[in-house]
Amino acid sequence: MRLRALLETDALGLRLLGGEDELDRTVRGVMTTDLRDPSRYLSGGELVLTGLAWRREPEDSERFVRILTAAGVAGLAAGEAEIASTPDDLIEACARHRMPLFSVNEKVSFASITEHVVRQVSSERAGDLAAVVDRHRRLMTGGPAGGGPEVVLDLLGSDLDLRAWVLSPTGRQIAGSSLADSGPGLPAAVGAALAGEHLAAARTGRRGPHRVTAAGSTYSLFPIRSSGRAASARDVRETVLSDWLLAVEADAGDWPEERLDLLHGVTQLIAVERDRRDAARTVRRRLAQEVLELVQAGAAPAEIAARLRVAAPVLLPGLGTAPHWQVVVARVEWEGGDIPGGPVAQALLEEVLVDPDASGPEPSDRIAVAHTGDEAVALVPLPAVLTGAEEPAVPSLHADTLLAAVRDPLAQGLADDGRLTFGVSAAVHSAEGLRGALEEARHARRVAAARPGRVCAAGHQELASHVLLLPFVPDDVRRAFTARLLDPLRDYDRRHRAELIPTLEAFLDCDGSWTRCATRLHLHVNTLRYRVGRIEQLTGRDLSRLEDKLDFFLALRMS
């Protein structure tokens, strides 16, 4: 409300003593004080009520008004109950600082003024916010035809001149305002950085918005919490890795309460849209669950194929031909084991398996994910792409690519008590291969789980390599094996700076070719022969024998 409206309310008994040109100031609250320095209790926009008990000499007025002005106070009202009239020195000080000054009739209590201001401000704030939120809600009620989150973000751009984006937990852009799209877009690296900062802040329990500086710009991050999941969650870890966030290119630290309320209202609307789209995934999740149960129960391939024929047009409408399929298995584990990881892994796979360069929520609608226990299983259809060759190409998912896109932000959300591991199968073209693909993905996930790190992945390519075996070698066996072969070389290198270990690595990498290895190391062949001879002398091995080459190769890999 405005100061002018207070002056025009006769029941408040206010009389203007100065500052007529400032009556359009907005009043956001009221404070009664007789402290000599009330600055610590002021946040700006208040009408300050005082009985002048702080004034002991005329000079006090200048100091008091200067403090109020620095705090951004809207106006000052002095009570007449204890004094005959308002001191001239206070009137003069308010005039110098352009501070509106009122006197309060002795028959009107400060409590009456406080009650009136609070009631009016609360009513106006609620009314303004309700009007804006209702406007947004009406625009979104039509579902996709209404524009979804983009409509709300466009209103932020048009009404508040704010560039804003809705981001996934990995930083992928789900929606952006037209204002955000008109300028430089949000780079993928910045989106990932913002998502990581948001997840880290959420794990510490800090309330949003979180202010972050990235690539020279300041962003305010508002959590978008799904109302359905948040209501049933007992622990932040149940939802933190699946919640969206609203990134606004602005510093919300000095925003008035009304604007913060508006942004929180916007996040609630987007959360409703998120819930609606989660509900739309129910059919796909059910299809994945049915296929998974058939495969695990050893059902006949014909029965599995029938379910896949039902799933294909749902996931890839209009395809016309049977797609290939890939299976991805993920597991989320928290220390203590009291947080169910399956639902979290399911929501993560629906996000992780989307191309990180794809925007919008629609790509995840082509993935069917089921969960059981702490494990989630994704059924990913792969449409063939015509390349002009005799056989169409089938682009498939690669574990390394997926890992690179999501590792950094998700690691911050997992903090120091969670792990995400996933495995990726090869593509199969029939129901007969689906059971093998599921086992392949599970084996790959176990390989990933044997590696260090909060987020790890492995693909089917690694299952046909010695790499599959190395993670399962007990630590004491690893240490003994590598020490027996490599410790003599390390000791010699340390004493003589002979670089026998780098020479061994290069020699094996060049498949034992003297010429190629010497060229790579910038050595004369005779120098290389001398070093290899020293390696054989120290270890008692012969690098011309395949068995000894293999032992050295494995020792280097395990060290």
Side-chain angles (χ1 to χ4, degrees), residues 99-150:
M99 174 66 65
L101 176 63
F102 305 88
S103 64
V104 181
N105 191 291
E106 61 180 359
K107 296 180 180 179
V108 179
S109 69
F110 284 174
S112 299
I113 298 175
T114 300
E115 182 181 355
H116 176 85
V117 171
V118 170
R119 185 170 59 249
Q120 289 297 117
V121 169
S122 299
S123 176
E124 289 179 11
R125 180 180 299 169
D128 291 344
L129 180 60
V132 174
V133 171
D134 183 63
R135 178 187 177 195
H136 293 176
R137 183 175 289 112
R138 282 186 281 106
L139 286 168
M140 293 181 65
T141 50
E150 289 82 0

Side-chain angles (χ1 to χ4, degrees), residues 36 38 52 54 59-73 76 89-101:
R36 293 172 63 85
L52 302 181
W54 47 266
E59 289 76 13
D60 291 340
S61 294
E62 170 65 23
R63 180 174 177 273
F64 186 77
V65 175
R66 187 170 60 246
I67 290 171
L68 299 190
T69 302
V73 166
L76 175 63
D89 50 87
L90 180 58
I91 296 174
E92 293 168 0
C94 287
R96 281 193 297 271
H97 291 280
R98 302 179 64 84
M99 174 66 65
L101 176 63

Side-chain angles (χ1 to χ4, degrees), residues 63 112 244 349-350 395 408-410 416 421 434 453 470 502 510 536 539 552:
R63 180 174 177 273
S112 299
W244 291 353
L349 278 185
E350 289 172 337
D408 291 343
L410 292 183
D416 57 357
T421 53
L434 207 57
L470 296 185
C510 292
E536 293 174 335
T539 60
F552 277 123

Side-chain angles (χ1 to χ4, degrees), residues 63 67 93 106 119 170 200 211 238 279 311 328 353 358 386 400 442 528 550:
R63 180 174 177 273
I67 290 171
E106 61 180 359
R119 185 170 59 249
T170 63
R211 287 178 287 164
E238 295 183 42
V328 181
L353 298 181
L386 298 178
D400 290 344
R442 282 177 168 159
L528 176 61
L550 180 59

Side-chain angles (χ1 to χ4, degrees), residues 221-285:
L221 310 179
F222 295 80
I224 300 173
R225 296 189 173 90
S226 170
S227 57
R229 287 184 302 236
S232 58
R234 299 168 299 161
D235 191 297
V236 66
R237 292 175 293 180
E238 295 183 42
T239 59
V240 67
L241 296 180
S242 56
D243 285 340
W244 291 353
L245 68 137
L246 175 66
V248 180
E249 191 176 13
D251 187 345
D254 56 355
W255 281 4
E257 205 62 40
E258 294 94 324
R259 179 167 287 202
L260 288 173
D261 286 345
L262 173 59
L263 266 294
H264 286 302
V266 168
T267 64
Q268 291 169 5
L269 289 179
I270 298 174
V272 171
E273 176 69 4
R274 170 71 188 273
D275 289 340
R276 187 183 68 78
R277 289 177 174 174
D278 277 349
R281 292 196 180 113
T282 302
V283 172
R284 292 183 291 279
R285 290 174 172 176

Side-chain angles (χ1 to χ4, degrees), residues 8-22:
E8 293 171 352
T9 304
D10 295 337
L12 298 182
L14 295 177
R15 182 166 59 91
L16 183 64
L17 300 180
E20 184 174 0
D21 294 339
E22 306 293 331

